[in-house]
Amino acid sequence: MKSYSLAKTLLVSSCCLALVACSTTQPKTIEAATESSVNQSQEHPSVANLSAEERSQLYFSIMLADIANKQKLYDVAQSNYFYAAEQTGSKELSSRAAMVALIERDYSNAIEATQLWIKSAPDDKNAYKTGLIASLAQGQQESANRYLSQLLPLLPDNADEKLYELLRMASFQEDADFIEFFDRNNQPLSSPYTATAEAYLRLKSSVPLKQSERIHQLLDYALEKRPNFLSAIELKGEAFALNSNEARREYLSNALKSNSLTIDQTYKIGELLYTQRNFGDALKAFDRVLDKRPSDKQTQFLEASSHYALEHYAQASELFWKLAQGDYKKDIASYYCADSAARIDDLVKAYSCYEMVPSGRYYMTARTELAQLYAENDLIKQAITSLRQAQREVGLDDRQRLLEFEINLLTQAGDYEQAERRITSALQVSPNKPFLYYLKLQLLNQTQSVTEFVASVKSLQQVTNEQQLKNDILLMATNFLQGRNSYLLAYQLLDDAVADDPDNVELLYGKAIAAEPLEYYSSMERDLRQVLKLDPDHYHAKNSLGYTLADLNRSLDEAKSLIESAYEHQPDNVAIQDSMGWVHYRLGNYQQALKYLEMAYKQDESPEIASHLGEVLWTMDLHQRAIDVWQKALRMAPNNQYILRTLRRFPEANLLGN
């Protein structure tokens, strides 16, 4: 073992002086041992044979080791634990010495401490694991083999648990190459457990496909010896999946047909098939389990979920109903009971199941879907009553969402008067909530002419003294106006507001965006540059200015720099992805342009993105793909100016007719 350093020796000696009084006053007599004290002495051997000074040194070494271990001074901890273990033969102290040495990668001392550990506890499987790891890390194959042969009989009889313990050991220390170790042990194959362990490690390596033949060989042997070895079956499926998921599904389906599987193993195979979306075969497994365990709620739940996935909504609804009635996963069971029943027009059950959904994850969705279902069946009164009851059960944010849904239903039903009363009542309680003004504007937008709407907007602004709320009302109102194609009026309202507050970033940015459909590009550029002067990190303004420059096909280097800066901040933003594609197209980087535009189009098939993507595809001579994208956009929005403007520039696509 490592000898104490001078510093350690001095520390031990000085601290011992503080403990010597206590240690020398310990009683010298030993009481007769009871059965419990005998058992305790096996764990903590007697120190009665030690002198007072030796005991003082021992107590201090243990204390010092514990403190050093907590402070991660592992070399100090290890040497003191080992000293104490040598003096006492304690299993606990020798195990600590061995483990700390292993953490420190001090493998020689780990093995020495392990030998003490095994001497005091010859049936402790963890001692053999530690010895194996330390031996293997030093390249001592024969020693590692001896530890393994002693370890295997001490592991659980259950094959899956035995494998789990082997794999936990194999993941402990990166210096120990367990793939090579198990490979040597499996020459020739003699243990289904080490064979499966090697197969697992090869499957989880960086190049499993190159080792596919060896993996199948190992697992075939393991399953020949233990046909119902569930972990080996799972791994065999994973090995098939290296080539195709269909091969894995077919293998697991065939494994399910075996009569050698226990009910627990059948359930596990069913779970695997379920997670791999092989719901038909999963149902076979769950049916078999329920034949033996008809009250197994989790299996019933997975069976119901499988029926739902297969669109067997009648069976799913009935099974989920029973589970919800029994309060098993009541939130999800009652929700999917309702959803399944609604899909087959079993409205009475759908209403009942939606009403059963308790507060929690599914509650809000259930209440809005219930209200929508009532409304679709001309039961608007019940829909509104249900929503109002729900509003009393939830917090502020959810209450606002439910109120919005209620007002939308009232508006759809043409009951504008009641919708107006609900908003007015809410505003009396919370007069400064922008959300309520949004609902008010939404209603006014649906019931008033443009001229009336603008007058109402100005009246609403006068109601509040808060400037921020005035601005919020204006910005929301201009969005509604743009939705009605009143672009000039929206721009004029924002222009007037900016004149009164020229350094307001929100208003400036809103005005700039309102200028785009009017093609007021000079005004737009000027306002966006002012926004960036006031707020250099405004990534929306960076993207908008960069896109505008790219669309105008000028200052492309600046445009690219602006858009890239915005992209660094929000790489998943669809608008920014579209801008990245468009500026690369303008620069002639067609492959890069295609990459970003396909990325954006995958998330949002809007006409603007479709027009850009189609143009890049056409320029790259991918004409049919371009036509497909443009045609889809035309079907979605036949009057959209973005797509029409693009197609006019490509008459050879022949999509606008004569």
Side-chain angles (χ1 to χ4, degrees), residues 366-406:
R367 303 312 292 197
T368 53
E369 288 185 8
L370 173 60
Q372 187 65 46
L373 192 61
Y374 276 135
E376 287 171 359
N377 290 279
D378 298 323
L379 299 171
I380 191 68
K381 184 177 180 180
Q382 289 90 328
I384 300 303
T385 300
S386 175
L387 287 170
R388 290 180 182 175
Q389 288 174 344
Q391 288 173 48
R392 294 193 287 270
E393 302 294 328
V394 296
L396 179 60
D397 290 343
D398 287 339
R399 194 179 311 146
Q400 290 179 343
R401 287 172 54 201
L402 289 168
L403 177 60
E404 181 181 6
F405 197 87
E406 177 191 345

Side-chain angles (χ1 to χ4, degrees), residues 78-205:
Q78 190 272 332
S79 57
N80 279 279
Y81 279 138
F82 188 85
Y83 167 78
E86 279 187 315
Q87 296 299 307
T88 63
S90 164
K91 166 193 168 182
E92 181 179 350
L93 293 171
S94 56
S95 66
R96 290 188 188 181
M99 291 303 297
V100 171
L102 201 60
I103 291 171
E104 274 286 276
R105 290 178 165 79
D106 184 357
Y107 301 120
S108 296
N109 283 333
I111 291 172
E112 198 170 344
T114 297
Q115 290 169 352
L116 283 177
W117 186 356
I118 292 172
K119 186 176 180 181
S120 61
D123 294 331
D124 190 335
K125 61 187 178 183
N126 291 320
Y128 298 98
K129 289 180 185 178
T130 305
L132 195 160
I133 294 168
S135 297
L136 199 56
Q138 286 192 307
Q140 297 176 4
Q141 181 76 24
E142 290 185 9
S143 176
N145 288 341
R146 286 196 300 272
Y147 281 119
L148 179 63
S149 64
Q150 293 169 299
L151 170 65
L152 285 174
L154 300 175
L155 296 179
D157 292 334
N158 180 279
D160 299 299
E161 292 178 14
K162 195 186 293 282
L163 175 66
Y164 175 70
E165 295 222 24
L166 287 173
L167 294 176
R168 280 188 66 193
M169 175 185 65
S171 65
F172 186 85
Q173 179 54 267
E174 60 187 20
D175 290 345
D177 187 346
F178 273 91
I179 291 182
E180 182 183 356
F181 172 66
F182 284 133
D183 181 72
R184 290 183 180 180
N185 266 276
N186 292 324
Q187 302 289 350
L189 291 166
S190 58
S191 165
Y193 315 112
T194 57
T196 307
E198 182 189 339
Y200 173 89
L201 294 175
R202 291 188 183 279
L203 267 170
K204 300 305 176 183
S205 70

Side-chain angles (χ1 to χ4, degrees), residues 395-459:
L396 179 60
D397 290 343
D398 287 339
R399 194 179 311 146
Q400 290 179 343
R401 287 172 54 201
L402 289 168
L403 177 60
E404 181 181 6
F405 197 87
E406 177 191 345
I407 291 167
N408 284 335
L409 280 185
L410 289 168
T411 304
Q412 289 172 23
D415 194 345
Y416 301 121
E417 185 177 343
Q418 188 175 179
E420 170 69 23
R421 284 201 304 270
R422 287 291 286 153
I423 297 172
T424 301
S425 175
L427 279 169
Q428 288 173 349
V429 176
S430 304
N432 296 319
K433 295 288 185 184
F435 158 78
L436 295 174
Y437 286 95
Y438 173 82
L439 295 179
K440 178 81 171 180
L441 290 166
Q442 185 182 53
L443 179 61
L444 294 172
N445 186 52
Q446 292 177 292
T447 58
Q448 293 183 337
S449 68
V450 170
T451 303
E452 291 171 332
F453 180 74
V454 171
S456 296
V457 170
K458 293 178 179 178
S459 297

